[in-house]
Amino acid sequence: MLASGVSRSMRSIEMRIPQGYYTDVESWRIGPELRGKKVHLVPIASTAPEARRKKRAEIAKHYHSRGPFLFLHVTLLDNRSEFSAPLEFKLTREGADYVGEIHGATAIANTIAYMSEAFDPISIYLGLTRRDLMGQALRYLLFGEGETGLMVYTILLRYWEWTPEEDVRPLIFLMSD
């Protein structure tokens, strides 16, 4: 059990997405429009348009960000014990913004980090909960969900150490829910 726990905790901070696929032609067409510091990445728990409007208003109020947003919703696999799985992503436009729906993820934080590297956003707005860290860590290790904001940051830092580049990294904002 101890070896399994240590192994899972080490894997939890790895960028372990083997590949991703667009689900349709429209997504394949939109994808290149988003790359290269063109959007702000905003992971969001709900797929409802009202949740996106509310989050956009909150970000605009506190951060005065300009430019389009890519709202990203991640759906986990039913079998979360998988080490890695290919992602399927669908992209759509919603006014000036974009909506990304990701299916087939093994962990939310790993998926957000992967999408950040795939799209190279201007900034990333990550939500933080007000729950205790130990409970969050256990939820993340056991179920692939929990305090994803800090885990995304940790995964990206580790990935950036392995892949030095001259490119400017995205700004990362941690927002309290």
Side-chain angles (χ1 to χ4, degrees):
M1 292 287 283
L2 181 61
S4 176
V6 169
S7 171
R8 188 164 179 98
S9 68
M10 290 174 62
R11 287 188 323 208
S12 71
I13 58 172
E14 293 176 350
M15 184 82 74
R16 55 184 181 156
I17 312 289
Q19 60 212 15
Y21 303 99
Y22 292 113
T23 60
D24 58 15
V25 173
E26 182 67 12
S27 298
W28 180 79
R29 189 188 63 72
I30 291 173
E33 294 176 17
L34 305 179
R35 291 192 184 103
K37 305 283 186 244
K38 294 181 183 168
V39 295
H40 300 278
L41 181 63
V42 183
I44 193 161
S46 173
T47 59
E50 180 58 35
R52 291 190 292 275
R53 282 191 293 275
K54 182 178 174 184
K55 184 59 80 174
R56 192 180 210 303
E58 180 184 352
I59 291 170
K61 177 182 175 184
H62 296 291
Y63 299 100
H64 307 290
S65 297
R66 294 189 177 117
F69 289 83
L70 169 58
F71 293 99
L72 190 67
H73 176 74
V74 178
T75 302
L76 294 170
L77 282 174
D78 290 336
N79 181 5
R80 297 187 194 159
S81 65
E82 291 286 328
F83 176 71
S84 66
L87 297 177
E88 296 178 4
F89 38 101
K90 180 176 182 165
L91 299 170
T92 56
R93 274 190 177 220
E94 187 174 81
D97 296 326
Y98 300 89
V99 177
E101 294 183 39
I102 311 299
H103 297 278
T106 57
I108 294 171
N110 300 80
T111 303
I112 294 168
Y114 176 82
M115 296 309 293
S116 167
E117 286 301 299
F119 289 115
D120 188 26
I122 301 165
S123 60
I124 308 170
Y125 292 89
L126 299 168
L128 296 174
T129 63
R130 296 180 185 191
R131 298 180 188 145
D132 67 289
L133 290 177
M134 189 55 138
Q136 291 293 345
L138 286 173
R139 284 186 64 199
Y140 186 78
L141 289 173
L142 296 174
F143 306 114
E145 55 190 49
E147 191 66 80
T148 57
L150 293 175
M151 289 306 297
V152 169
Y153 179 68
T154 302
I155 292 165
L156 286 174
L157 282 179
R158 186 169 184 206
Y159 181 75
W160 292 338
E161 287 175 4
W162 294 343
T163 58
E165 58 183 62
E166 300 300 319
D167 186 26
V168 176
R169 307 295 186 188
L171 298 172
I172 298 177
F173 297 96
L174 299 174
M175 302 173 57
S176 179
D177 286 344

